[in-house]
């Protein structure tokens, strides 16, 4: 199975901050990498797919980059509704594993 | 609009089985695959498997092989996930999730843009 790691595991930030989350795969996954946001008690929401494609309706302050094993999710200016947990997911090969998540909370 | 409505919470004893349903609406049911993902309390999301709702082909995570069955009833626009030989470690919220892209040939997309509301399965003696 492909193992996914994320860093940091949590971070505190203020509204307006630029936030970067890193995801690493245990082997190359080309660009088969998705990012999700999840709020407590809710299902995840797709933000980015294929490493850098912004899902329809997702604000442009979210962006993704990377290929191979190293990926980043950047929020250019954090908004109140962005405080949540972020997960990466590889879809290069089954099982489609998720990272452990990065919790973004209010400083 | 696309909607996925799952069945209600379940409480099961160890060793029992559970079957969760996911009723779809708002799109051509047989054109997409449906995945099942679970999340134990405080844990990461865990992918369980998918089914091609068009032809019934399915694929499971090795972790659940032999214990999980994902099935589809196109006439009812419903997908089912059955998990057997339950233990306390199967206590989790179970989600169905539809792929962003329709099935093309044998390619099943993995990005999931529509999710059910989740079904809590509690395994306790």
């Amino acid at each position: 199975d492909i193992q996914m790691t994320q860093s940091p595991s949590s971070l505190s930030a203020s509204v307006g901050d630029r936030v970067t989350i890193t995801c690493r795969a245990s082997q190359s996954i080309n660009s088969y990498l998705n990012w999700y946001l999840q709020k407590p008690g809710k299902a995840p929401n797709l933000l980015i797919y294929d490493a850098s494609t912004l899902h329809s309706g997702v604000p442009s302050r979210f962006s993704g980059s990377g290929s191979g094993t190293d990926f980043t999710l950047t929020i250019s200016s954090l908004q109140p509704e962005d405080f949540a947990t972020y997960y990466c997911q590889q879809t290069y090969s089954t099982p489609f594993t998720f990272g452990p998540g990065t919790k973004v909370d209010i400083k | 609009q696309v909607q996925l409505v799952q069945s209600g919470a379940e409480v099961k004893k160890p060793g029992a089985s559970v079957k969760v349903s996911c009723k779809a609406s708002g799109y051509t049911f047989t054109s997409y695959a449906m995945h099942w993902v679970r999340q134990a309390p405080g844990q990461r999301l865990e992918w369980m498997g998918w089914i091609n709702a068009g032809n019934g082909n399915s694929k499971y995570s090795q972790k659940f092989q032999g214990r999980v069955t994902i099935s589809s009833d196109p006439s009812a626009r419903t997908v089912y996930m059955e998990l057997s030989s339950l233990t306390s470690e199967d206590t989790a919220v179970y989600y169905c999730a539809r792929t962003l892209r329709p099935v093309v040939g044998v390619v099943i997309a993995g990005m999931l843009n529509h999710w059910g509301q989740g079904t809590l399965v509690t395994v306790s003696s």
Side-chain angles (χ1 to χ4, degrees), chain A residues 3 6 8 13 19-21 26-27 37 43 45 48-49 57 64 67 79-80 89 93 97 102:
Chain A
Q3 309 302 317
Q6 287 181 236
V19 168
T20 298
I21 299 168
S26 60
Q27 66 181 76
L37 168 162
N45 287 320
I48 303 273
Y49 61 92
S67 66
Q79 297 301 300
Q89 177 207 22
S93 66
T97 41
T102 296

Side-chain angles (χ1 to χ4, degrees), chain A residues 1 4-5 34 36 38 41-46 49-50 55 87 89 91 94-101, chain B residues 35 37 39 43-47 50 59-62 95 100-101 108-113 115-118:
Chain A
D1 297 0
M4 305 299 292
T5 58
N34 309 314
Y36 299 86
Q38 185 180 36
K42 300 293 187 183
N45 287 320
L46 179 65
Y49 61 92
D50 293 345
H55 179 46
Y87 292 95
Q89 177 207 22
T91 51
T94 57
F96 293 154
T97 41
F98 290 84
Chain B
H35 296 238
V37 175
Q39 188 170 38
Q43 300 301 308
R44 73 176 73 187
L45 300 158
E46 183 173 32
W47 181 83
W50 56 251
K59 184 152 190 176
Y60 306 128
S61 169
Q62 195 90 9
Y95 294 101
L100 174 65
R101 295 177 177 138
I108 302 294
M111 66 287 280
L112 308 170
N113 70 320
W115 294 67
Q117 82 276 20

Side-chain angles (χ1 to χ4, degrees), chain A residues 16-90:
Chain A
D17 283 354
R18 181 181 182 87
V19 168
T20 298
I21 299 168
T22 298
C23 175
R24 176 165 288 174
S26 60
Q27 66 181 76
S28 177
I29 57 170
N30 292 341
S31 294
Y32 292 95
L33 191 283
N34 309 314
W35 289 98
Y36 299 86
L37 168 162
Q38 185 180 36
K39 296 189 177 178
K42 300 293 187 183
N45 287 320
L46 179 65
L47 297 173
I48 303 273
Y49 61 92
D50 293 345
S52 61
T53 303
L54 193 68
H55 179 46
S56 175
V58 174
S60 58
R61 63 180 179 273
F62 291 93
S63 63
S65 64
S67 66
T69 61
D70 294 316
F71 302 86
T72 59
L73 172 71
T74 300
I75 310 171
S76 60
S77 177
L78 200 65
Q79 297 301 300
E81 60 267 31
D82 301 338
F83 292 97
T85 299
Y86 293 82
Y87 292 95
C88 59
Q89 177 207 22
Q90 67 81 19

Side-chain angles (χ1 to χ4, degrees), chain B residues 11-91:
Chain B
V11 178
K12 295 292 182 181
K13 297 225 183 289
S17 297
V18 68
K19 191 170 186 177
V20 181
S21 66
C22 171
K23 185 170 178 63
S25 61
Y27 68 96
T28 304
F29 180 78
T30 52
S31 294
Y32 290 81
M34 196 78 78
H35 296 238
W36 286 88
V37 175
R38 78 176 188 179
Q39 188 170 38
Q43 300 301 308
R44 73 176 73 187
L45 300 158
E46 183 173 32
W47 181 83
M48 300 181 70
W50 56 251
I51 187 165
N52 179 340
N55 62 16
N57 287 347
S58 59
K59 184 152 190 176
Y60 306 128
S61 169
Q62 195 90 9
K63 175 176 179 176
F64 303 102
Q65 201 80 33
R67 283 210 302 141
V68 69
T69 303
I70 300 175
S71 57
S72 171
D73 180 355
S75 66
R77 301 178 60 85
T78 300
V79 174
Y80 303 91
M81 187 284 300
E82 184 169 21
L83 189 63
S84 62
S85 303
L86 294 169
T87 73
S88 59
E89 296 191 349
D90 294 315
T91 293

